[in-house]
Amino acid sequence: PAAVPPVVDGLLDDSAWASAPVATIALRKDDASPAEVSTKAKMCWGADSLYFAIRCEEPLMGLIRDEVRVPDGPVWGENEVEIFLDVKNEQKAFHQILVNTLGTLSDFKTDGTSDHKWDSGAKLAVVKSGGAWTLEISLPYSSLGVPLPVAGAVWGLNLCRVRRVTSPSEYTCLSPTFGMFGKPQRFGQLVFQ
């Protein structure tokens, strides 16, 4: 839990992040081999929202050519990060949040079929600096259809990254899916402490 929720500005310098554990998005999705570059995430939670801080190292920043600026546009075809949440931890349905390096958000809810009209209510900020781009995001529990979690609650979670500056593109995960990203039976677990 965050005593003081982070300010969503993309800088990742809030006190809430200082003590948050680090999750490394370090394995390729198809074979669990090591990623070429580092991607690290931190999470914390407040009274109204769940927060993520993600740092994507990128030594080839000059090659990023992302263009999608329309909300719910095809950011999955660009350099982007994806957050998957299975709030019931039943390995069937999930919420999916996608953000490219321009800060364009696409969000979906999947329960057998994909609901493209779902609105996550997410607030986010992206900062590009030197050899990395960073994302900070808050997701209100109300948009996920859940109340404030209690300590000990467990959700399904996966964090994924797509790097399009290399050929072939690199697809990495916190928990490798050995196929497409959206496989909730291959997600890891988010435990609220």
Side-chain angles (χ1 to χ4, degrees):
V4 178
V7 175
V8 179
D9 57 12
L11 299 177
L12 316 189
D13 58 358
D14 302 273
S15 61
W17 301 128
S19 59
V22 176
T24 305
I25 305 167
L27 303 172
R28 289 187 173 96
K29 73 175 180 72
D30 290 327
D31 61 9
S33 62
E36 186 176 319
V37 298
S38 174
T39 307
K40 295 185 177 177
K42 293 184 175 187
M43 292 156 273
C44 66
W45 53 300
D48 301 313
S49 300
L50 179 63
Y51 299 87
F52 292 85
I54 302 174
R55 177 180 169 79
C56 302
E57 289 188 10
E58 185 48 79
L60 303 174
M61 289 288 285
L63 298 182
I64 291 177
R65 300 287 183 262
D66 296 343
E67 297 179 345
V68 176
R69 294 182 182 271
V70 177
D72 286 331
V75 298
W76 51 85
E78 300 193 322
N79 296 277
E80 48 103 9
V81 168
E82 301 189 24
I83 300 169
F84 293 86
L85 292 168
D86 174 2
V87 297
K88 293 183 179 179
N89 199 26
E90 294 177 343
Q91 301 181 351
K92 295 176 184 174
F94 57 86
H95 297 84
Q96 181 180 2
I97 313 295
L98 308 89
V99 181
N100 68 6
T101 63
L102 300 173
T104 305
L105 170 73
S106 286
D107 43 19
F108 308 98
K109 182 169 70 170
T110 302
D111 185 3
T113 60
S114 190
D115 179 358
H116 294 266
K117 294 181 181 178
W118 175 68
D119 182 4
S120 65
K123 293 181 179 152
L124 65 93
V126 170
V127 172
K128 290 184 266 187
S129 177
W133 64 279
T134 56
L135 165 66
E136 203 163 17
I137 187 167
S138 70
L139 293 173
Y141 307 123
S142 58
S143 74
L144 298 170
V146 295
L148 169 67
V150 296
V154 179
W155 294 1
L157 168 76
N158 211 357
L159 304 174
C160 305
R161 178 181 177 188
V162 177
R163 271 185 90 215
R164 298 275 185 204
V165 295
T166 60
S167 183
S169 297
E170 186 175 54
Y171 298 81
T172 54
C173 298
L174 176 66
S175 178
T177 57
F178 300 95
M180 62 183 188
F181 283 156
K183 291 174 70 175
Q185 65 274 21
R186 294 290 314 164
F187 292 176
Q189 292 186 325
L190 170 61
V191 180
F192 291 84
Q193 300 178 341

